[in-house]
Amino acid sequence: MARRKPFRWHIGVFLAPAVLVYTAIMIIPLFGTLNLSLYNLDGQNRIFVGLANFVTLFGDPRWSDAFWNALWNNCWFFIIHMLVQNPIGILLAALLSSPRLRMAAFYRTAIFIPTILSFVIVGFVWKLILSPIWGIAPGMLDAVGLKFLFAPWLGKEEYALTTLALISVWQFVGIPMMLIYAALLSIPDDVIEAAEMDGLTGWSQFWKIKLPLILPSIGIISILTFVGNFNAFDLIYVAQGALAGPDFSTDILGTFLYRTFFGFQLQLGDPHMGAAIASAMFVIILIGVCLYLFGIQTRLRRYQF
Amino acid sequence: MAKTRSHAGRSIAAHAILITYTLIALFPVFVIVINSFKSRRAIFAEPLMPPMPGNWDLVGYTTVLEQGDFFQYFLNSMTVTVASLFFVLLFGAMAAFALSEYRFRGNLLMGLYLALGIMIPIRLGTVAILEMMVSAGLVNTLTALILVYTAQGLPLAVFILSEFMRSVSDDLKNAGRIDGLSEYRIFFTLVLPLVRPAMATVAVFTMIPIWNDLWFPLILAPSEETKTITLGSQVFIGQFVTNWNAVLAALSLAIVPVLVLYLIFSRQLIRGITAGAVK
């Protein structure tokens, strides 16, 4: 083994295409965008302005109102997902994973269908269903005597964002369901049998034995949801347009970035402020991912079977 | 006796909850599809009735087929998805093989570098990606989309495929080496056929977000010739908002291909998610 091995060219050949495409199209533009956020236009020339774009974004009322509004809306969007999507996902997975359940494959396939549809379909479908003109939603509420509850949810400032978040939950609940279902199936039978010996069955068994064992999966789902939510754009754009109406009440960071970067109506697009918003989103996502990797994931005990 | 009764009760409750949720998941799709076959009056008068001889009307579909160039959009989506998928699978499998098969300096670091893209969305680089595509003259070409989606799909593909490649037996590869096969032959003729199930899983995972993406077609390729079906239906529906027949028909046409693909691949997809999560 003292002999030096010849340089193994094939390793380079195997790695090169993936690394080149990934670096050129993803990593370089990512840093290019971060870099661009430090520049702005001075007449015709691009000049270095340091952190001035961020000062404008966070402090200048013309920008900061929209930014903090979008950030808060985005947080609310995420909170709704965590509070509604995960419990429903866990409940469905727990039911699906019970042995002797018939038609489990059918339920699994059917409940996952919304997840594969595009945002364009989902956005318009719900827009039509909730539309006061068509009357499906009020008609159905009427059938159960709850018509007084109906409001044009997507058109009211106070409900629109929550409604959209719930639509997004409807679309994506299949993912937590599947991941938790998989985690539940991977719990060995010995553990369950031991619990049954100790007289733990049904819900108490779920709370005391299974839930702690699937916590790592819940952690993964939370971080996936976090990244997805703080990067979301399509659903809001399709349902409410780039202006994220009514009166920006459904504006999130993705739509704010799109409007700033591309312009809308009379305002021209601004790549530098766009890059500043993208950089802010990058930092937010990075903080979330780091919190998860170093704060949550390492603390969750890994059970080795 | 009491025990079996409580079992039956619990299973009825479980089915009731699951059926309710299945209805919630499927109802919106169902309503759209049945109404797309009905006349305008019937859509509003009795939205929940199935299409019948009395209210049957295909005017929505004829409008869609006359007004929108959906065949072209569909072709664009197919081109972009299939080409990106090909590159993601080929390049991803090659890189995964290098990372899982050989021990070399920087192996772990390279793996982490490639895995970065799983968590950081490529959309954040859009501003610079657009500038780059403009200077390369690739705006409004399908090539731009294929490049972006290849880069977007690679991290997860490398991650999943290298997990699977570690499980390919060393004896087999060493037998190949003794027979004098080159490393390339070993990869293409011995390893690739063995990881085909994992490739199918990665294919499904990669395909869905590419087919459904609205952001990059909107920004990089919004021209009439390069519109994908997702962008095309978004624009079409935006223009025909008040023509309910056309909107419902366009939505149904957009749902059907995805649904058919899903029903074919659902077993693969679900097995992929559950296998990946167990690890």
Side-chain angles (χ1 to χ4, degrees):
Chain A
M1 278 321 269
R3 192 165 59 93
R4 241 182 100 85
K5 280 192 210 160
F7 186 74
R8 291 173 294 174
W9 283 102
H10 50 267
I11 298 181
V13 173
F14 279 129
L15 278 173
V19 173
L20 283 180
V21 172
Y22 173 73
T23 309
I25 312 288
M26 185 152 179
I27 299 297
I28 293 180
L30 198 57
F31 285 98
T33 304
L34 293 179
N35 183 41
L36 209 57
S37 69
L38 303 176
Y39 289 82
N40 213 330
L41 284 185
D42 172 27
Q44 288 298 316
N45 305 316
R46 182 172 278 181
I47 52 157
F48 183 80
V49 294
L51 295 176
N53 289 335
F54 292 96
V55 174
T56 314
L57 186 62
F58 301 142
D60 182 343
R62 279 180 308 152
W63 288 93
S64 65
D65 288 354
F67 176 77
W68 295 117
N69 173 44
L71 183 60
W72 163 245
N73 285 344
N74 224 150
C75 291
W76 179 244
F77 199 68
F78 176 61
I79 293 170
I80 296 275
H81 274 83
M82 292 300 285
L83 290 182
V84 182
Q85 176 184 278
N86 291 355
I88 294 181
I90 295 171
L91 172 72
L92 293 173
L95 292 175
L96 278 178
S97 71
S98 58
R100 293 191 300 277
L101 180 85
R102 286 172 191 216
M103 304 205 314
F106 164 76
Y107 292 130
R108 236 168 33 193
T109 311
I111 293 174
F112 203 73
I113 283 181
T115 311
I116 57 148
L117 299 178
S118 81
F119 290 100
V120 172
I121 297 171
V122 171
F124 279 113
V125 163
W126 279 101
K127 219 174 144 175
L128 295 186
I129 287 178
L130 296 178
S131 154
I133 303 174
W134 193 7
I136 286 227
M140 291 181 69
L141 284 176
D142 199 18
V144 287
L146 292 172
K147 192 173 184 189
F148 63 93
L149 281 179
F150 181 78
W153 286 297
L154 282 173
K156 294 242 177 177
E157 273 178 51
E158 58 269 45
Y159 303 130
L161 182 65
T162 311
T163 311
L164 283 167
L166 290 175
I167 293 173
S168 174
V169 167
W170 172 82
Q171 183 177 9
F172 286 116
V173 84
I175 292 176
M177 177 187 83
M178 287 297 182
L179 291 176
I180 292 172
Y181 173 67
L184 286 172
L185 288 189
S186 73
I187 298 176
D189 293 337
D190 312 3
V191 176
I192 304 297
E193 275 164 26
E196 274 167 8
M197 292 290 196
D198 290 342
L200 278 177
T201 53
W203 279 111
S204 62
Q205 184 192 64
F206 181 81
W207 284 114
K208 291 187 178 140
I209 307 291
K210 291 180 177 169
L211 195 63
L213 289 174
I214 59 171
L215 275 183
S217 295
I218 297 177
I220 292 175
I221 291 159
S222 307
I223 189 64
L224 287 179
T225 311
F226 179 82
V227 174
N229 284 168
F230 278 87
N231 178 33
F233 159 79
D234 311 52
L235 180 67
I236 312 270
Y237 180 74
V238 169
Q240 309 286 42
L243 286 176
D247 193 23
F248 299 112
S249 61
T250 56
D251 199 20
I252 58 173
L253 291 170
T255 46
F256 183 44
L257 166 64
Y258 178 81
R259 271 204 321 277
T260 310
F261 178 33
F262 258 91
F264 62 101
Q265 293 177 353
L266 293 177
Q267 183 184 324
L268 283 175
D270 182 343
H272 302 101
M273 287 308 284
I277 296 170
S279 306
M281 289 164 76
F282 176 77
V283 172
I284 292 169
I285 290 178
L286 205 63
I287 293 174
V289 171
C290 289
L291 273 180
Y292 166 73
L293 286 180
F294 302 115
I296 299 175
Q297 200 205 23
T298 48
R299 251 178 243 177
L300 286 175
R301 183 121 37 101
R302 290 254 164 196
Y303 293 90
Q304 295 287 336
F305 300 122
Chain B
M1 193 55 190
K3 197 172 178 197
T4 50
R5 198 180 300 145
S6 93
H7 258 298
R10 205 178 292 154
S11 125
I12 288 172
H15 278 287
I17 296 174
L18 286 167
I19 289 173
T20 312
Y21 199 84
T22 306
L23 287 178
I24 296 175
L26 296 186
F27 173 76
V29 176
F30 173 74
V31 170
I32 297 300
V33 174
I34 60 167
N35 280 292
S36 70
F37 293 103
K38 290 167 25 181
S39 67
R40 191 182 163 82
R41 235 164 52 95
I43 293 174
F44 283 97
E46 38 202 23
L48 293 179
M49 289 296 256
M52 287 178 300
N55 56 23
W56 181 264
D57 198 341
L58 290 178
V59 63
Y61 288 94
T62 48
T63 317
V64 170
L65 295 177
E66 280 165 13
Q67 301 287 331
D69 203 353
F70 275 84
F71 184 69
Q72 178 68 43
Y73 303 157
F74 187 78
L75 219 59
N76 289 340
S77 276
M78 279 305 268
T79 314
V80 169
T81 311
V82 171
S84 318
L85 207 54
F86 174 77
F87 289 123
V88 168
L89 288 178
L90 177 67
F91 296 169
M94 283 164 65
F97 182 67
L99 291 177
S100 62
E101 176 67 15
Y102 308 113
R103 304 180 60 178
F104 57 93
R105 200 176 297 160
N107 182 320
L108 186 69
L109 214 62
M110 187 59 92
L112 283 178
Y113 174 68
L114 287 172
L116 205 71
I118 299 176
M119 282 298 179
I120 305 295
I122 192 170
R123 273 182 194 183
L124 298 180
T126 306
V127 179
I129 291 179
L130 181 64
E131 287 205 341
M132 189 170 77
M133 294 299 175
V134 169
S135 56
L138 287 175
V139 171
N140 278 329
T141 62
L142 297 180
T143 317
L145 292 180
I146 294 171
L147 281 172
V148 169
Y149 293 140
T150 306
Q152 171 186 292
L154 276 172
L156 193 64
V158 173
F159 183 75
I160 297 179
L161 289 176
S162 53
E163 291 281 308
F164 274 90
M165 287 195 182
R166 286 204 182 94
S167 66
V168 174
S169 104
D170 280 336
D171 293 348
L172 184 73
K173 286 174 281 190
N174 289 334
R177 285 188 184 112
I178 292 168
D179 286 347
L181 294 185
S182 70
E183 295 296 322
Y184 306 107
R185 290 286 301 271
I186 290 175
F187 170 68
F188 282 106
T189 58
L190 293 183
V191 178
L192 267 195
L194 285 175
V195 294
R196 221 182 293 152
M199 301 276 271
T201 304
V202 172
V204 183
F205 277 128
T206 315
M207 200 164 65
I208 295 173
I210 295 177
W211 185 270
N212 287 341
D213 188 39
L214 182 62
W215 176 265
F216 284 112
L218 192 63
I219 288 169
L220 294 178
S223 77
E224 189 59 28
E225 297 78 47
T226 53
K227 260 182 210 152
T228 60
I229 187 106
T230 308
L231 178 59
S233 25
Q234 196 266 332
V235 173
F236 178 86
I237 294 170
Q239 284 166 352
F240 282 75
V241 201
T242 47
N243 185 341
W244 285 66
N245 293 85
V247 168
L248 291 168
L251 283 173
S252 304
L253 283 178
I255 293 174
V256 170
V258 191
L259 207 58
V260 170
L261 271 182
Y262 169 67
L263 291 178
I264 297 173
F265 286 110
S266 65
R267 193 169 287 263
Q268 200 68 51
L269 179 82
I270 288 166
R271 202 190 302 148
I273 297 179
T274 41
V278 172
K279 285 216 155 108

